[in-house]
Amino acid sequence: MTTGKPDAAALIALDWGTSSLRAYRMGSDGQTLDARHLPWGIMNLPQPVQDGALSAAPADQDSRFELAFEHACGDWLRAEPHLPVIACGMVGSAQGWREAAYLDVPVDLRQLAGQLTQVPRQGTPLHIVPGLIQRHGLPNVMRGEETQVAGVLDTLGADADDLLIGLPGTHSKWVSVRRGRVTHFDTFMTGEVYAALRGHTILGRTMSDGGADPEAYARGLRVAGAPAGRAGVLSTIFSARTLSLTGALTASAGPDYLSGLLIGHEIATLAEMLRQQGATPTLVLCGDDALCDRYRLALDHYGLGTPAQARHATERGLWHLAHAAGLVRATLTETP
Amino acid sequence: MTTGKPDAAALIALDWGTSSLRAYRMGSDGQTLDARHLPWGIMNLPQPVQDGALSAAPADQDSRFELAFEHACGDWLRAEPHLPVIACGMVGSAQGWREAAYLDVPVDLRQLAGQLTQVPRQGTPLHIVPGLIQRHGLPNVMRGEETQVAGVLDTLGADADDLLIGLPGTHSKWVSVRRGRVTHFDTFMTGEVYAALRGHTILGRTMSDGGADPEAYARGLRVAGAPAGRAGVLSTIFSARTLSLTGALTASAGPDYLSGLLIGHEIATLAEMLRQQGATPTLVLCGDDALCDRYRLALDHYGLGTPAQARHATERGLWHLAHAAGLVRATLTETP
């Protein structure tokens, strides 16, 4: 730090999704000084409290976004009122605070910083990163992952080329990048399908929470690509029940077996698409550690190697985009 | 009718599944004299009522099965106490009234009648048809569909050979039959997956009940087999959301589009498996009329022709098996 205030920040960055809100107070070198994880995703905004009780009338959406914003970084902004604020994720969707643009794929990611959507507030405005939309074939969209991809590219440097970046999650994304351009991406609803099958079909009835079962996970992975898996995922998932009926799968092994089946089908399909395209991109994973571990096993099983994992990609991406948009530089005019 | 009692019955047949119970009072030629449809599936049994209120203590399972049985056919049996009773379906599962056998596939269906499981009761015993289990590859099971298949074969006659019988439903089954033997079957959880996706994922949020939309259904069917469908069902289902986001699919078209996608993936996979096997079986559909209509469109789209639909297969099957087991003949010793 070169200023007299060792904790002075340069940016507030928000990763604001459907079910959670992460806030980062970042220093002038892009380092994270403080981080908060709040449950105030856009589908779960807080209700204002008056005189200790929930207000009788539901608050308008703007007030609820303001309240979540206050929880996330109100004190940070009062201490340093001139900090710029940037956000990515579903906060820019039609159900978000303000609808941000979608940029059309293929797109050079350097265009992101020039297309931020400003949300005027009484105090500091919020700048929302645009999402990406792919209109050829079946349409596809992302909000938030474009920022993670920008963060991965910022970490890997300009030499990185012909990448396939995997972003496992509720909806996992596989993003092809060539020379800083997103050329294509696919979405698999694997995480959400897993939750729906486990919670709301007969498959969940014979399952118990028994902790991690790596062998059951590996078994599911193998089945998806074996001759027995040729009937596809609508068929193979029934084996989570029949293997239990025949005593070949314990109740506690069920969840990891089903997880292996679904991730296995996703990665088997991905491997087949790459094979048909004759593509051999460099793979990078980005996301939750435990989930990336699962995907690394699947990629290895289906012959796609063991990719590196990019960490802190969202913070890196938000920092990079704020910098490229000129938001950060404007705050660095401090006097010594 | 050859007896002096025009309404005399020869058999009571029960189709007793997970969520419903159908009861048939059948005449001496196998015709249905009376039919009842009750909600008392094995996962939804009635509670005994005492003094007009639900009894405080939950009844034991046997009493609840007895009560459902009484609702289904108690009066029929009091009028004709010597009628035999046969049942098929999940009533023979581990969660049913009494666990019935599974016969191993491949199996000659004529073996079914010799393996009925008897449930002793104070009055007439209940005879439960065995299910089928396939142990090679991923295990697979059915309970109830084996009786429908027996009914289809009874209808088609002994000449029928090399059949593929489709039984659409919550879990659709595709059963290969050669010379009266079930040689193989596959299960697709298409119906239950549809309900889970629509009710418990983001896909349902942008859908409304707008009535049938045949064009949306056909569009989903096509996508499953188009190049855009190569990423598989975990990926294509996301288009139910993105097509809505881009204005290319109305909220009321969403349900039928998703239905077309899922059934399309099932039938596209089936068609590919048949192609790889070089198999050209005669297709027969069996089940709910509206659902069979959907499957007929899918089979036609994927080049599998437009199969005939077998009707009343469960009643036919139960009648046929009761006859083969000698249950029916025993009741026909009436004096003129």
Side-chain angles (χ1 to χ4, degrees):
Chain A
M1 304 291 293
T2 56
T3 75
K5 297 186 286 178
D7 276 326
L11 178 70
I12 292 172
L14 306 178
D15 173 10
W16 202 336
T18 301
S19 55
S20 77
L21 165 56
R22 290 173 193 269
Y24 303 96
R25 185 170 156 270
M26 305 184 85
S28 55
D29 297 327
Q31 76 278 33
T32 297
L33 303 174
D34 279 305
R36 289 172 180 162
H37 186 188
L38 302 162
W40 311 128
I42 68 158
M43 289 300 177
N44 185 42
L45 294 170
Q47 278 285 0
V49 175
Q50 288 187 323
D51 303 327
L54 284 177
S55 93
D60 65 274
Q61 281 299 92
D62 256 22
S63 310
R64 298 181 69 188
F65 278 109
E66 276 291 352
L67 186 59
F69 185 88
E70 164 64 27
H71 287 315
C73 59
D75 55 341
W76 293 344
L77 277 173
R78 277 187 291 279
E80 296 177 273
H82 299 296
L83 289 180
V85 188
I86 191 170
C88 69
M90 292 297 281
V91 67
S93 70
Q95 294 79 38
W97 200 344
R98 187 64 53 95
E99 192 163 1
Y102 277 124
L103 304 190
D104 277 70
V105 167
V107 64
D108 191 313
L109 284 174
R110 282 169 292 196
Q111 291 182 35
L112 288 172
Q115 307 263 350
L116 305 187
T117 292
Q118 185 168 315
V119 184
R121 301 176 54 254
Q122 280 208 322
T124 310
L126 174 71
H127 297 88
I128 304 181
V129 178
L132 299 187
I133 189 165
Q134 178 172 274
R135 298 184 195 272
H136 58 271
L138 290 178
N140 219 326
V141 292
M142 64 168 72
R143 283 200 186 276
E145 292 92 349
E146 74 296 323
T147 302
Q148 292 179 281
V149 170
V152 171
L153 296 185
D154 188 46
T155 303
L156 295 178
D159 294 344
D161 194 19
D162 198 11
L163 300 176
L164 180 61
I165 302 174
L167 305 135
T170 306
H171 298 175
S172 67
K173 305 280 185 187
W174 290 93
V175 186
S176 298
V177 182
R178 280 185 173 268
R179 295 178 199 157
R181 288 171 70 82
V182 169
T183 55
H184 180 84
F185 65 97
D186 287 301
T187 301
F188 294 82
M189 287 183 62
T190 310
E192 194 171 12
V193 169
Y194 173 81
L197 292 178
R198 186 166 171 195
H200 303 283
T201 72
I202 197 168
L203 300 183
R205 283 208 209 129
T206 47
M207 291 181 185
S208 67
D209 282 310
D213 189 329
E215 177 42 42
Y217 177 75
R219 184 178 184 176
L221 276 188
R222 288 193 300 270
V223 164
R230 76 192 187 291
V233 67
L234 292 172
S235 179
T236 58
I237 53 175
F238 191 53
S239 67
R241 174 162 174 78
T242 57
L243 287 169
S244 155
L245 277 175
T246 57
L249 193 72
T250 64
S252 63
D256 270 341
Y257 175 72
L258 182 62
S259 168
L261 264 182
L262 294 180
I263 294 176
H265 277 290
E266 175 183 339
I267 300 303
T269 304
L270 186 76
E272 175 61 18
M273 290 196 296
L274 291 173
R275 194 190 64 74
Q276 286 182 10
Q277 294 159 16
T280 55
T282 301
L283 265 66
V284 180
L285 282 176
C286 179
D288 170 78
D289 281 355
L291 195 53
C292 283
D293 284 348
R294 286 179 185 264
Y295 273 77
R296 199 175 292 108
L297 288 169
L299 291 164
D300 186 48
H301 180 75
Y302 286 99
L304 295 177
T306 50
Q309 185 177 344
R311 294 178 196 280
H312 307 296
T314 310
E315 304 97 286
R316 289 296 299 255
L318 286 166
W319 172 261
H320 172 81
L321 293 173
H323 209 272
L327 293 177
V328 172
R329 194 175 41 218
T331 68
L332 293 179
T333 56
E334 301 179 39
T335 52
Chain B
M1 304 290 293
T2 56
T3 76
K5 296 186 287 178
D7 276 324
L11 177 71
I12 293 173
L14 305 178
D15 173 11
W16 202 336
T18 301
S19 56
S20 77
L21 165 56
R22 288 173 195 271
Y24 303 95
R25 185 170 157 272
M26 306 184 83
S28 56
D29 297 326
Q31 76 277 33
T32 297
L33 303 174
D34 278 306
R36 289 173 179 161
H37 186 189
L38 302 162
W40 311 128
I42 68 157
M43 291 300 178
N44 185 42
L45 294 170
Q47 279 285 0
V49 174
Q50 288 188 323
D51 301 329
L54 284 176
S55 95
D60 65 274
Q61 281 298 94
D62 256 22
S63 309
R64 299 181 68 189
F65 278 109
E66 276 291 353
L67 187 59
F69 185 88
E70 163 65 26
H71 287 315
C73 58
D75 56 340
W76 293 344
L77 277 174
R78 277 186 292 279
E80 295 177 273
H82 299 294
L83 288 181
V85 188
I86 190 170
C88 68
M90 292 298 281
V91 68
S93 70
Q95 294 80 38
W97 198 345
R98 187 64 52 98
E99 192 162 3
Y102 277 125
L103 303 190
D104 277 70
V105 166
V107 64
D108 190 313
L109 284 174
R110 281 170 293 195
Q111 292 182 34
L112 287 173
Q115 307 264 349
L116 304 188
T117 292
Q118 185 168 315
V119 184
R121 301 176 55 255
Q122 281 209 321
T124 310
L126 174 71
H127 298 86
I128 304 181
V129 178
L132 300 187
I133 189 164
Q134 178 171 273
R135 299 184 193 272
H136 59 270
L138 290 177
N140 221 327
V141 293
M142 64 168 70
R143 282 200 186 276
E145 292 92 349
E146 74 295 323
T147 302
Q148 291 179 280
V149 170
V152 171
L153 295 186
D154 188 46
T155 304
L156 294 179
D159 295 344
D161 193 21
D162 198 9
L163 299 176
L164 180 60
I165 302 174
L167 304 134
T170 306
H171 297 176
S172 66
K173 306 278 184 190
W174 289 93
V175 186
S176 298
V177 182
R178 279 184 175 268
R179 294 176 199 158
R181 289 170 69 81
V182 169
T183 55
H184 178 85
F185 65 98
D186 287 301
T187 302
F188 294 82
M189 287 184 60
T190 310
E192 194 171 12
V193 169
Y194 173 81
L197 292 178
R198 186 165 172 196
H200 303 283
T201 72
I202 196 168
L203 300 183
R205 283 208 209 129
T206 48
M207 291 181 185
S208 67
D209 282 310
D213 189 328
E215 177 42 42
Y217 177 76
R219 184 178 183 175
L221 275 188
R222 288 193 300 271
V223 164
R230 76 191 187 292
V233 68
L234 292 172
S235 180
T236 58
I237 52 174
F238 191 54
S239 68
R241 173 161 174 78
T242 58
L243 287 168
S244 156
L245 276 175
T246 58
L249 193 73
T250 63
S252 64
D256 270 342
Y257 176 72
L258 182 61
S259 168
L261 264 181
L262 295 180
I263 294 175
H265 277 289
E266 175 182 339
I267 301 303
T269 303
L270 185 76
E272 175 61 17
M273 290 195 297
L274 291 173
R275 196 189 63 73
Q276 287 181 11
Q277 295 160 16
T280 54
T282 301
L283 265 66
V284 180
L285 282 176
C286 178
D288 170 79
D289 281 355
L291 194 53
C292 284
D293 284 347
R294 286 180 185 263
Y295 273 78
R296 200 174 291 108
L297 289 168
L299 291 165
D300 186 49
H301 180 76
Y302 286 99
L304 296 177
T306 50
Q309 185 177 343
R311 294 178 197 279
H312 308 296
T314 310
E315 304 96 288
R316 289 296 298 257
L318 285 166
W319 172 262
H320 172 80
L321 292 173
H323 210 271
L327 293 177
V328 172
R329 192 177 42 218
T331 69
L332 292 180
T333 55
E334 301 178 41
T335 51

CSV table of all heavy atoms in Angstrom, one decimal, chain B residues 1 17 70 74 102 110 114 130 136 155 173 190-191 194 197 206 210 224 277 285 310:
chain,number,residue,atom,x,y,z
B,1,MET,N,-74.8,-64.5,-22.0
B,1,MET,CA,-74.8,-65.2,-20.7
B,1,MET,C,-75.6,-66.5,-20.8
B,1,MET,O,-76.7,-66.5,-21.3
B,1,MET,CB,-75.5,-64.2,-19.7
B,1,MET,CG,-74.8,-62.9,-19.6
B,1,MET,SD,-73.2,-62.9,-18.8
B,1,MET,CE,-73.6,-63.4,-17.2
B,17,GLY,N,-52.2,-49.7,-7.9
B,17,GLY,CA,-50.9,-49.1,-8.1
B,17,GLY,C,-50.5,-48.2,-7.0
B,17,GLY,O,-51.0,-48.3,-5.9
B,70,GLU,N,-62.2,-53.2,1.0
B,70,GLU,CA,-63.7,-53.1,1.2
B,70,GLU,C,-64.3,-52.1,0.3
B,70,GLU,O,-65.4,-52.3,-0.3
B,70,GLU,CB,-63.9,-52.8,2.7
B,70,GLU,CG,-65.3,-52.3,3.1
B,70,GLU,CD,-66.4,-53.4,2.8
B,70,GLU,OE1,-66.1,-54.6,2.8
B,70,GLU,OE2,-67.5,-53.0,2.6
B,74,GLY,N,-66.0,-54.8,-1.5
B,74,GLY,CA,-66.7,-55.4,-0.4
B,74,GLY,C,-68.2,-55.8,-0.7
B,74,GLY,O,-68.6,-56.9,-0.4
B,102,TYR,N,-40.8,-61.7,-7.9
B,102,TYR,CA,-40.4,-61.2,-9.2
B,102,TYR,C,-40.0,-62.4,-10.1
B,102,TYR,O,-39.2,-63.2,-9.6
B,102,TYR,CB,-39.2,-60.3,-9.1
B,102,TYR,CG,-39.4,-58.9,-8.7
B,102,TYR,CD1,-38.7,-58.3,-7.6
B,102,TYR,CD2,-40.2,-58.0,-9.5
B,102,TYR,CE1,-38.9,-57.0,-7.2
B,102,TYR,CE2,-40.3,-56.7,-9.1
B,102,TYR,CZ,-39.7,-56.2,-8.0
B,102,TYR,OH,-39.8,-54.9,-7.6
B,110,ARG,N,-46.4,-67.2,-19.8
B,110,ARG,CA,-47.4,-68.3,-19.2
B,110,ARG,C,-47.0,-68.7,-17.8
B,110,ARG,O,-47.7,-69.4,-17.1
B,110,ARG,CB,-47.4,-69.5,-20.2
B,110,ARG,CG,-48.3,-69.2,-21.4
B,110,ARG,CD,-48.1,-70.3,-22.5
B,110,ARG,NE,-46.8,-70.2,-23.0
B,110,ARG,CZ,-46.4,-70.9,-24.2
B,110,ARG,NH1,-47.3,-71.6,-24.8
B,110,ARG,NH2,-45.2,-70.8,-24.7
B,114,GLY,N,-48.8,-69.3,-12.8
B,114,GLY,CA,-48.5,-70.3,-11.8
B,114,GLY,C,-47.8,-69.8,-10.6
B,114,GLY,O,-47.4,-70.6,-9.7
B,130,PRO,N,-47.2,-61.9,-10.0
B,130,PRO,CA,-45.8,-61.5,-9.8
B,130,PRO,C,-45.3,-60.4,-10.7
B,130,PRO,O,-45.9,-60.2,-11.8
B,130,PRO,CB,-45.0,-62.8,-10.1
B,130,PRO,CG,-45.9,-63.6,-11.0
B,130,PRO,CD,-47.3,-63.2,-10.6
B,136,HIS,N,-29.7,-58.5,-15.9
B,136,HIS,CA,-28.5,-58.2,-16.7
B,136,HIS,C,-28.4,-56.7,-17.0
B,136,HIS,O,-29.4,-56.1,-17.1
B,136,HIS,CB,-28.4,-59.1,-17.9
B,136,HIS,CG,-29.6,-58.9,-18.8
B,136,HIS,ND1,-30.7,-59.7,-18.8
B,136,HIS,CD2,-29.8,-58.1,-19.9
B,136,HIS,CE1,-31.6,-59.3,-19.7
B,136,HIS,NE2,-31.0,-58.3,-20.4
B,155,THR,N,-55.0,-60.3,-26.6
B,155,THR,CA,-55.8,-59.7,-27.6
B,155,THR,C,-55.3,-60.0,-29.0
B,155,THR,O,-56.0,-60.2,-29.9
B,155,THR,CB,-55.8,-58.1,-27.4
B,155,THR,OG1,-56.2,-57.9,-26.1
B,155,THR,CG2,-56.6,-57.4,-28.4
B,173,LYS,N,-42.5,-47.9,-20.0
B,173,LYS,CA,-41.8,-49.2,-20.2
B,173,LYS,C,-41.8,-49.5,-21.7
B,173,LYS,O,-42.9,-49.3,-22.3
B,173,LYS,CB,-42.4,-50.3,-19.4
B,173,LYS,CG,-42.6,-50.1,-17.9
B,173,LYS,CD,-41.4,-50.4,-17.1
B,173,LYS,CE,-41.6,-50.2,-15.7
B,173,LYS,NZ,-40.4,-50.3,-14.9
B,190,THR,N,-39.7,-40.7,-17.8
B,190,THR,CA,-40.1,-39.4,-18.5
B,190,THR,C,-41.2,-38.7,-17.8
B,190,THR,O,-41.2,-37.5,-17.6
B,190,THR,CB,-40.5,-39.8,-19.9
B,190,THR,OG1,-39.4,-40.6,-20.5
B,190,THR,CG2,-40.7,-38.6,-20.8
B,191,GLY,N,-42.3,-39.4,-17.4
B,191,GLY,CA,-43.5,-38.7,-16.8
B,191,GLY,C,-43.1,-38.1,-15.4
B,191,GLY,O,-43.5,-36.9,-15.2
B,194,TYR,N,-40.8,-35.1,-15.9
B,194,TYR,CA,-41.6,-33.9,-16.4
B,194,TYR,C,-42.2,-33.2,-15.2
B,194,TYR,O,-42.1,-32.0,-15.0
B,194,TYR,CB,-42.7,-34.4,-17.4
B,194,TYR,CG,-43.6,-33.3,-17.8
B,194,TYR,CD1,-43.3,-32.3,-18.7
B,194,TYR,CD2,-44.9,-33.1,-17.1
B,194,TYR,CE1,-44.1,-31.3,-19.1
B,194,TYR,CE2,-45.7,-32.1,-17.5
B,194,TYR,CZ,-45.4,-31.2,-18.5
B,194,TYR,OH,-46.2,-30.2,-18.8
B,197,LEU,N,-39.6,-31.5,-13.0
B,197,LEU,CA,-39.0,-30.3,-13.7
B,197,LEU,C,-40.0,-29.1,-13.7
B,197,LEU,O,-39.7,-28.0,-13.4
B,197,LEU,CB,-38.6,-30.6,-15.1
B,197,LEU,CG,-37.4,-31.5,-15.3
B,197,LEU,CD1,-37.2,-31.7,-16.8
B,197,LEU,CD2,-36.2,-30.9,-14.7
B,206,THR,N,-41.9,-19.9,-15.5
B,206,THR,CA,-42.4,-19.1,-16.6
B,206,THR,C,-43.4,-19.8,-17.4
B,206,THR,O,-43.8,-19.4,-18.5
B,206,THR,CB,-41.2,-18.7,-17.5
B,206,THR,OG1,-40.5,-19.9,-17.8
B,206,THR,CG2,-40.3,-17.7,-16.9
B,210,GLY,N,-52.1,-23.3,-20.2
B,210,GLY,CA,-52.9,-22.7,-21.2
B,210,GLY,C,-53.6,-23.7,-22.1
B,210,GLY,O,-54.0,-23.3,-23.2
B,224,ALA,N,-35.4,-32.4,-29.8
B,224,ALA,CA,-34.7,-33.5,-29.2
B,224,ALA,C,-33.8,-34.3,-30.2
B,224,ALA,O,-32.8,-34.8,-29.9
B,224,ALA,CB,-35.7,-34.4,-28.5
B,277,GLN,N,-29.4,-52.2,-33.1
B,277,GLN,CA,-29.7,-53.6,-33.0
B,277,GLN,C,-30.1,-54.2,-34.3
B,277,GLN,O,-30.3,-55.4,-34.4
B,277,GLN,CB,-30.7,-53.9,-31.9
B,277,GLN,CG,-30.3,-53.5,-30.5
B,277,GLN,CD,-31.6,-53.4,-29.6
B,277,GLN,OE1,-32.7,-53.8,-29.9
B,277,GLN,NE2,-31.3,-52.7,-28.5
B,285,LEU,N,-48.9,-49.7,-28.7
B,285,LEU,CA,-48.9,-48.8,-27.5
B,285,LEU,C,-50.1,-49.3,-26.6
B,285,LEU,O,-51.1,-49.8,-27.1
B,285,LEU,CB,-49.2,-47.4,-28.0
B,285,LEU,CG,-48.0,-46.6,-28.5
B,285,LEU,CD1,-48.4,-45.2,-29.0
B,285,LEU,CD2,-46.9,-46.5,-27.4
B,310,ALA,N,-53.5,-50.8,-27.9
B,310,ALA,CA,-54.2,-51.9,-27.3
B,310,ALA,C,-55.0,-51.3,-26.2
B,310,ALA,O,-54.5,-50.5,-25.4
B,310,ALA,CB,-53.3,-53.0,-26.7
